[in-house]
Amino acid sequence: MKLHEYQAKDIFADAGIPVPESRLASSVDEVMDAVEDIGYPAAIKAQVHVGGRGKAGGIKIATSEEEAREAADSILGMDLKGYTVEQVLVEAGVDFKNELYVGVTMDRGEGKPVAMVSTEGGVDIESVAEETPDAIAREHIDPAFGMHPYQARKVCYEAGIPKEVALDVASILTTLYELYESKDASEIEVNPVMITEDDEVVAADAVMNIDDDALFRQSELAEMEEEAYEDELEKKAGEYGFDYVRLSGNVGIIGNGAGLVMTTLDLVDYYGGKPANFLDIGGGAKAERVTHALDMVFSDENVDAVVFNIFGGITRGDEVAKGINEALEAFDEIPKKVVVRLAGTNAEEGMEILNTDLVEVEKTLEDAVQRAVQNAEEANQ
């Protein structure tokens, strides 16, 4: 479960992490009232569950009434990577001289939470990890004992945090870990932590994701779930009973079984593509569920090509093939190329049923993924 920035910042502020003054607004008039109270410069920030809001036009800095009104007009109601912006956070601008990254997540390879600090704040931390991994200092935490004060100081020192603010940054990191543990978070970060000219530290952003399986003991956070649940495709997935996660790529992925879908995601990435979603239709999927799955993926404007990976166990290949045919025959024109790989129970029967005028068929998963990645690339040429 993802929290919005404003929700996470409320939690951060209650825990003692410095955050800018801010107000939530859902109309241009509310934005103008908020800016009048907060003052200029002010940041107007779309509240949707996507990264890269600034690059996509979802964050604007206003230094005057005219700029604030123009920013509110352009952001409210905009389509931001498939999400409709219904609320914005109006926040006091911060005059800063440096930006840092501070966060805590689970390192599944080590089986422990890991605290991370970097002087490369304000940019995509995944890109930093890939291009300059040495720019991120890491410290693994034993969950039996929690984060010791020396560990917070150590990781800040190793990251090269200026000594004038190192203890304050270590304090933020310690508080983030306490929230990570007490709130059953799966990820919690501030990117960026801004350092002002007066050497104060301010959390200018906030990311906090909660483990869905722990919501039964996080009643206050659970109440925020519907408020944070804005994506129409995720709503539709809930109605259909699918396990679905929207991602940022353009290759749509459908499979039966979480492991099979994850394998397909990894192969899309391996062959140079970017997955658009995780969509598991489950075992025993009948034609109707397959139709619903294709409807969902076709509804995602980010998807340029689709790979359908089915291994028959409980799910029968002929039922899947029937569902694919029924779904695609309903279109006057197929909106995106679909590549299908069937294996397992009744796979041969399914291959005979598939309408190859509507889909492309590959015998192996590797070939199917490569074809889908190629189709996505061609769609963008």
Side-chain angles (χ1 to χ4, degrees):
M1 170 187 156
K2 296 181 180 180
L3 297 185
H4 283 296
E5 177 189 2
Y6 76 88
Q7 294 168 324
K9 278 185 172 171
D10 285 344
I11 294 171
F12 287 6
D14 288 342
I17 295 176
V19 299
E21 180 184 359
S22 63
R23 277 175 49 181
L24 193 65
S26 55
S27 69
V28 174
D29 288 341
E30 288 181 3
V31 170
M32 300 312 297
D33 290 342
V35 173
E36 184 177 346
D37 291 340
I38 292 172
Y40 297 99
I44 299 172
K45 310 168 79 174
Q47 295 300 285
V48 291
H49 296 308
V50 297
R53 290 174 297 165
K55 293 179 181 179
I59 298 177
K60 296 184 181 295
I61 305 297
T63 59
S64 66
E65 181 178 345
E66 181 180 357
E67 290 181 1
R69 187 173 296 278
E70 180 181 336
D73 274 328
S74 65
I75 296 176
L76 282 167
M78 76 179 296
D79 183 293
L80 190 61
K81 298 184 179 182
Y83 291 75
T84 300
V85 179
E86 298 178 354
Q87 295 177 312
V88 295
L89 187 66
V90 182
E91 188 171 80
V94 179
D95 185 14
F96 66 96
K97 64 179 181 181
N98 201 358
E99 295 178 299
L100 312 173
Y101 169 89
V102 179
V104 179
T105 190
M106 174 59 70
D107 185 337
R108 300 193 181 279
E110 292 291 330
K112 294 179 180 179
V114 59
M116 299 179 292
V117 178
S118 175
T119 55
E120 301 291 326
V123 297
D124 184 357
I125 196 65
E126 286 80 8
S127 297
V128 176
E130 183 177 342
E131 297 169 8
T132 54
D134 292 341
I136 303 175
R138 299 171 173 85
E139 181 73 12
H140 288 92
I141 312 300
D142 188 332
F145 299 99
M147 178 181 285
H148 296 292
Y150 82 87
Q151 291 180 295
R153 297 193 298 268
K154 175 175 177 283
V155 72
C156 287
Y157 173 79
E158 292 177 349
I161 303 301
K163 63 180 180 179
E164 295 82 5
V165 298
L167 289 179
D168 289 334
V169 175
S171 176
I172 289 178
L173 181 59
T174 300
T175 303
L176 287 181
Y177 182 80
E178 291 170 352
L179 290 172
Y180 173 88
E181 186 176 49
S182 65
K183 303 295 186 183
D184 289 302
S186 58
E187 178 184 13
I188 188 167
E189 67 178 31
V190 180
N191 187 22
V193 173
M194 288 184 171
I195 302 177
T196 71
E197 294 292 339
D198 297 327
D199 288 329
E200 295 181 352
V201 293
V202 180
D205 192 19
V207 171
M208 189 172 181
N209 299 333
I210 310 301
D211 185 343
D212 288 334
D213 293 331
L215 287 177
F216 72 94
R217 62 186 179 201
Q218 298 291 344
S219 57
E220 291 185 7
L221 297 178
E223 291 176 0
M224 301 179 185
E225 185 172 21
E226 190 166 338
E227 187 175 2
Y229 191 42
E230 293 180 352
D231 180 71
E232 289 301 321
L233 288 176
E234 291 181 355
K235 287 182 181 178
K236 187 180 289 188
E239 294 170 358
Y240 289 153
F242 292 149
D243 289 326
Y244 174 84
V245 178
R246 194 171 194 182
L247 304 173
S248 59
N250 65 344
V251 179
I253 296 169
I254 304 171
N256 62 319
L260 196 66
V261 178
M262 287 301 299
T263 299
T264 312
L265 262 72
D266 288 342
L267 281 174
V268 168
D269 184 70
Y270 178 79
Y271 287 118
K274 295 295 182 183
N277 64 272
F278 172 104
L279 176 52
D280 175 12
I281 62 175
K286 301 296 184 181
E288 183 181 13
R289 286 179 65 79
V290 176
T291 303
H292 289 161
L294 283 168
D295 172 58
M296 281 193 59
V297 175
F298 284 161
S299 298
D300 187 343
E301 295 179 356
N302 293 335
V303 171
D304 292 320
V306 181
V307 57
F308 212 118
N309 182 20
I310 295 295
F311 186 86
I314 299 173
T315 304
R316 289 168 39 193
D318 54 337
E319 283 285 352
V320 174
K322 180 181 176 183
I324 293 173
N325 286 345
E326 288 181 3
L328 295 180
E329 287 167 0
F331 292 89
D332 293 331
E333 182 179 351
I334 307 302
K336 289 119 183 182
K337 288 185 177 180
V338 179
V339 183
V340 179
R341 177 260 190 173
L342 293 179
T345 305
N346 288 7
E348 292 183 4
E349 292 86 344
M351 297 286 275
E352 293 176 0
I353 292 172
L354 279 173
N355 185 343
T356 53
D357 290 334
L358 303 177
V359 300
E360 299 172 344
V361 178
E362 295 289 350
K363 291 184 178 181
T364 69
L365 176 55
E366 290 82 358
D367 288 343
V369 168
Q370 289 183 76
R371 175 72 70 88
V373 170
Q374 181 181 348
N375 289 342
E377 291 174 351
E378 292 174 353
N380 280 299
Q381 290 178 353

